[in-house]
Amino acid sequence: YYSLINEVGGRIDSNFASYLSFYSPTNNVKTYRNNFNYLEIPISIKFQLFKSKMLPVYWEAGINISQLISSNALQFTSNPGLYYNDNSLFNKTQIGLQTGFSATLFSNTKNPLSIGPYFIYNASKLANEGLYGGKHFSFIGIRTEILFGKK
C-alpha cells in the first residue's frame, strides 16, 4: 500500500460518463488521499554482519515484483483544468529494490526482537505520462519483527 495527498477542489457531477469522477482544482479546496494497492512478492537474502551472540547485526537486500490491484488516484489535465481518475495511465507491474539493517535484541530468549531501518525503491516508473509520469515510489522506515518460539 502506498498513498500520497493532493490538494483538489470539489467534486463536479457530470452527465458525460457516470463512471468518471471529476474534481475542480480551485473550488472548495480540500485534501484528497490517492491510494495505491499492490500485491507484492519480495525475494531477499539476509547476511549476518557481526557474529555476536548478544547482539547479532544483519544486512538484508533483495528485489520485489508487485502488481497494481486497485487505485483511486487522480490525474490532472490542464485543459479544461480538472482532476480525474484514469488507472489506464499507470504501469501495473512494478519492480523494486529493498535493503535494510537490523539488530536482534534479546537473542538468547524464546522471543527475540529484531529492529532496524528499511528502505524500498521501486525502480519502475509509476506511469509514463500524466500527473505521475516518470515518478517512482520509495519508502523508508523502521521494521520490527518478533521471532516467536525461537529455540
Side-chain angles (χ1 to χ4, degrees):
Y1 171 79
Y2 292 95
S3 71
L4 55 99
I5 295 176
N6 285 353
E7 296 274 327
V8 300
R11 184 179 170 148
I12 300 170
D13 292 323
S14 170
N15 294 331
F16 176 66
S18 61
Y19 60 90
L20 292 176
S21 296
F22 295 97
Y23 293 82
S24 162
T26 57
N27 292 348
N28 195 17
V29 174
K30 62 179 182 173
T31 58
Y32 181 89
R33 181 175 297 275
N34 297 279
N35 299 310
F36 300 86
N37 297 292
Y38 287 91
L39 184 60
E40 181 176 274
I41 298 174
I43 300 169
S44 63
I45 189 165
K46 195 175 200 179
F47 301 97
Q48 186 171 357
L49 297 178
F50 304 112
K51 302 287 184 188
S52 168
K53 289 187 179 195
M54 293 298 295
L55 186 65
V57 176
Y58 298 92
W59 171 56
E60 184 176 344
I63 62 171
N64 61 58
I65 185 165
S66 55
Q67 184 72 26
L68 180 66
I69 55 175
S70 70
S71 177
N72 71 340
L74 297 178
Q75 299 287 342
F76 181 76
T77 180
S78 58
N79 188 11
L82 296 173
Y83 287 95
Y84 64 99
N85 180 270
D86 183 358
N87 289 342
S88 70
L89 297 174
F90 294 116
N91 294 324
K92 304 298 187 273
T93 304
Q94 299 284 311
I95 295 176
L97 307 170
Q98 57 197 33
T99 191
F101 293 93
S102 63
T104 303
L105 307 173
F106 319 114
S107 61
N108 295 328
T109 66
K110 188 174 179 179
N111 298 316
L113 173 71
S114 180
I115 186 168
Y118 199 68
F119 179 72
I120 299 172
Y121 175 76
N122 277 359
S124 304
K125 294 177 188 172
L126 183 55
N128 293 323
E129 59 183 279
L131 186 60
Y132 305 97
K135 298 203 177 1
H136 302 262
F137 274 128
S138 61
F139 167 82
I140 190 166
I142 296 178
R143 181 166 65 175
T144 59
E145 297 174 317
I146 298 174
L147 307 171
F148 292 107
K150 181 183 173 203
K151 295 182 181 185

